Amino acid sequence: MDATAKPLRIPPEMRIYADQHGIFDLIQAMMKRLLMEKPEDPIEYLIDLLKNNSIEVPRIFVLGPPASGKRTVVKQLCKHLGATRISTESLLREESDLVKEALEYKANQSMLWINLVQQRLSKKDCIKRGWVFEGFPKTREQAFRLQAAGIAPEHVVLLDAPDTVLIERNLGKRIDPVTGDVYHTSFDWPSSEHVEKRLVEADGIWESETVAGLLEYQRNLKGLESTYSTVSRVINADQTSIDVFSQVLTFVLSRHRSVAPHTPRILLHGPPGSGKSLQAALIAQKYNIVNICCGQVLKAVAADETSQGELIKPGLETGQQVPDSTVLKILTERLSRLDCTTRGWVLHGCPRNLEQAEKLNSAGFTPNRVFFLDMPDEVAVERVTFRMTDPVTGQRYHSLYKAAPSQQIQDRLQVNPRDSAESLQRRLDLYRTNLPELQELYSDAIYVNADQDPHAIFELLESHIVNRLPNPLSHRWTPSPSD
């Protein structure tokens, strides 16, 4: 094979460091911005981006038919994200030759508008804080021209509501000419008499004008949807403004799937019977990562004729606890092998307590995805105490869910002493005792209800494995009347 065609192999230590600090995603984002913006001095441009922490700033289009609430959503987003608010009206208030030319040819010179947008978005406030653009582009042609000019949004919000609702909304729309705030005669009337007296009817609110605007929007919608299919989401605007904004905010804070190199380091934690082994096997099989079951690793070492194997073999045979120091030494040796460092791993069965978890972290084996599979103790009792194993085939059966196919097999089934009610209760008690400290350590863990169909659990785990972690700039938002 041609040496130039060999895949790039990144040393394991570099992979772990890069993954922990998001280096690959950072480089990908920087290159994307560089190629889109095409600055005259690329080095200075990148230095400025890093200095101002402007790599992942909002770049959002909010589109929708007349009266769908675009302006309200954009104002709320800018307030919450600290982004610059842009609209065609605000562009026309700028002082430049391009603005004068655009005003002169407003109806038919779309390229002038693209140049105007490009000029505005290149200003420092948009680069540093990001931007939210209201109601533009309006056509697929404009969207293509924006892309050609290097203007590509990270998120496109498409507001949608029934035509009858939008027509009714538009009839009652009133504008504050001083602030530009939108009010409604039925839904959102100002509490201040002073503001009420200065309200004026919005342009284009009559039914015939609204219908014409709706037809124009629907005619161009398919083209916009296809252009921004990978970064857009339709939001139902026929609900309360708080609900609309909550859904919009959740979407714009989400992060698109990254093509940057990623080495999965997954930890599954849960009580006995929660399905950790099954889920680990499914994940390992689909994504070609290494399935590390702590118990199986210990058994494999015990089967070897080594001093370490001879040391732990008696404890495993009698059901005694192997010392933590020995467990962690064996486990870290396994996680250090080339298959784990290059392909990634899914670990279950360890750590069982805070001390083990901290030692794993200090050894450099910090998981980047942690899942707590949770379910009531009575479900664990039902799952574990009724399961049996065929000593001939190794096949597992369950008295309630998967009975033996014949009486001959049923007669030879054996119950693992660890699965007895007394042993299980001790294990559950120990699990619940150690759980709070592990939850505190893994504060970003994802909680999964393990009392459901295994395939539903796998789909949920998979969605969090393949997608990027939440944006570090995002934070919890609780709607309040002021929002």
Side-chain angles (χ1 to χ4, degrees):
M1 184 174 71
D2 182 1
T4 60
K6 290 182 180 179
L8 176 65
R9 172 168 287 181
I10 302 171
E13 301 79 13
M14 292 176 62
R15 277 183 175 272
I16 293 172
Y17 175 83
D19 192 38
Q20 287 177 337
H21 296 277
I23 301 299
F24 294 127
D25 287 323
L26 175 64
I27 293 173
Q28 177 182 272
M30 291 171 62
M31 290 301 298
K32 183 178 179 181
R33 292 289 298 274
L34 195 62
L35 294 174
M36 285 169 49
E37 303 288 346
K38 303 181 183 69
E40 291 184 5
D41 189 335
I43 302 301
E44 285 299 321
Y45 175 81
L46 292 177
I47 290 173
D48 190 52
L49 280 181
L50 292 169
K51 279 185 176 179
N52 294 307
N53 194 26
S54 305
I55 298 295
E56 289 191 288
V57 295
R59 295 191 295 278
I60 305 166
F61 287 155
V62 178
L63 310 178
S68 57
K70 298 185 293 294
R71 184 172 302 181
T72 300
V73 167
V74 168
K75 289 182 68 175
Q76 290 175 316
L77 281 176
C78 290
K79 178 182 177 183
H80 184 84
L81 301 173
T84 303
R85 178 185 171 194
I86 309 291
S87 66
T88 52
E89 291 82 2
S90 69
L91 289 178
L92 294 177
R93 290 195 290 268
E94 301 276 332
E95 293 186 4
S96 72
D97 292 337
L98 272 177
V99 171
K100 294 176 182 177
E101 198 172 354
L103 283 170
E104 187 175 349
Y105 298 103
K106 184 176 179 180
N108 55 8
Q109 294 293 319
S110 62
M111 197 57 211
L112 284 175
W113 279 97
I114 303 304
N115 293 337
L116 194 60
V117 171
Q118 190 175 25
Q119 175 182 271
R120 180 64 185 90
L121 298 187
S122 65
K123 292 188 176 181
K124 193 170 184 178
D125 59 341
C126 290
I127 293 174
K128 185 175 180 179
R129 294 160 43 203
W131 45 264
V132 183
F133 208 134
E134 173 193 338
F136 195 86
K138 298 180 182 297
T139 66
R140 189 180 189 185
E141 179 193 0
Q142 290 176 342
F144 281 158
R145 288 182 181 273
L146 285 173
Q147 288 181 340
I151 300 170
E154 288 294 316
H155 299 87
V156 177
V157 176
L158 299 170
L159 299 175
D160 183 53
D163 289 353
T164 53
V165 172
L166 298 173
I167 292 171
E168 181 185 356
R169 279 188 188 176
N170 225 20
L171 286 172
K173 185 188 290 186
R174 299 294 184 268
I175 302 292
D176 183 344
V178 176
T179 65
D181 290 337
V182 180
Y183 295 94
H184 195 278
T185 54
S186 301
F187 311 128
D188 184 19
W189 198 243
S191 56
S192 168
E193 291 186 9
H194 183 66
V195 174
E196 180 183 342
K197 289 179 181 178
R198 70 185 186 220
L199 295 184
V200 297
E201 287 186 352
D203 294 333
I205 67 171
W206 302 113
E207 184 171 344
S208 58
E209 296 172 298
T210 305
V211 170
L214 290 172
L215 290 173
E216 178 71 16
Y217 177 77
Q218 293 296 334
R219 186 160 48 245
N220 292 297
L221 179 58
K222 292 297 181 184
L224 292 169
E225 286 180 326
S226 64
T227 305
Y228 296 121
S229 60
T230 60
V231 295
S232 66
R233 180 173 297 177
V234 177
I235 303 293
N236 176 23
D238 186 18
Q239 51 185 327
T240 66
S241 59
I242 288 179
D243 289 336
V244 173
F245 179 61
S246 177
Q247 293 175 27
V248 170
L249 184 64
T250 299
F251 169 57
V252 301
L253 290 180
S254 65
R255 307 175 80 190
H256 302 302
R257 189 172 298 180
S258 173
V259 297
H262 170 65
T263 305
R265 299 190 305 279
I266 304 165
L267 172 62
L268 301 181
H269 193 71
S274 57
K276 301 184 293 296
S277 298
L278 173 60
Q279 297 302 327
L282 293 173
I283 292 169
Q285 181 180 28
K286 182 163 184 178
Y287 293 101
N288 190 33
I289 61 179
V290 185
N291 183 356
I292 302 294
C293 171
C294 185
Q296 294 300 324
V297 170
L298 294 177
K299 290 178 182 178
V301 172
D304 291 338
E305 295 181 356
T306 61
S307 57
Q308 200 170 53
E310 293 298 327
L311 181 65
I312 67 171
K313 189 173 183 180
L316 292 177
E317 290 177 345
T318 59
Q320 295 177 353
Q321 193 77 24
V322 179
D324 280 0
S325 58
T326 305
V327 172
L328 291 171
K329 182 179 180 182
I330 294 172
L331 190 58
T332 53
E333 285 178 357
R334 180 64 187 92
L335 293 173
S336 300
R337 293 183 189 174
L338 188 61
D339 58 348
C340 287
T341 56
T342 56
R343 290 160 47 198
W345 43 262
V346 52
L347 172 64
H348 52 108
C350 187
R352 297 179 183 274
N353 54 51
L354 180 62
E355 184 180 358
Q356 289 182 345
E358 289 177 337
K359 287 182 177 178
L360 270 180
N361 287 351
S362 62
F365 300 102
T366 304
N368 51 26
R369 298 290 191 281
V370 178
F371 298 96
F372 284 100
L373 306 181
D374 195 25
M375 64 182 186
D377 286 358
E378 53 267 26
V379 176
V381 171
E382 183 180 283
R383 287 187 180 182
V384 174
T385 58
F386 288 94
R387 64 189 183 189
M388 295 166 286
T389 304
D390 183 347
V392 176
T393 64
Q395 183 70 39
R396 275 189 174 184
Y397 295 96
H398 195 280
S399 300
L400 300 179
Y401 308 133
K402 186 182 178 183
S406 68
Q407 188 61 45
Q408 181 183 6
I409 296 177
Q410 177 66 39
D411 292 340
R412 69 183 186 225
L413 294 183
Q414 296 178 355
V415 177
N416 190 322
R418 284 170 52 85
D419 292 345
S420 68
E422 296 79 9
S423 175
L424 174 61
Q425 192 57 56
R426 287 195 297 270
R427 293 160 63 197
L428 286 171
D429 291 342
L430 183 62
Y431 171 79
R432 298 296 177 194
T433 300
N434 293 320
L435 183 59
E437 291 183 331
L438 288 172
Q439 289 175 323
E440 185 176 353
L441 178 67
Y442 299 123
S443 57
D444 294 328
I446 298 149
Y447 292 81
V448 179
N449 174 20
D451 186 18
Q452 56 180 319
D453 181 78
H455 295 289
I457 297 172
F458 176 68
E459 288 179 2
L460 182 57
L461 297 177
E462 186 179 29
S463 69
H464 289 285
I465 292 169
V466 299
N467 292 323
R468 298 167 69 189
L469 292 172
N471 193 325
L473 301 178
S474 68
H475 53 277
R476 292 183 183 272
W477 174 77
T478 303
S480 64
S482 62
D483 288 319

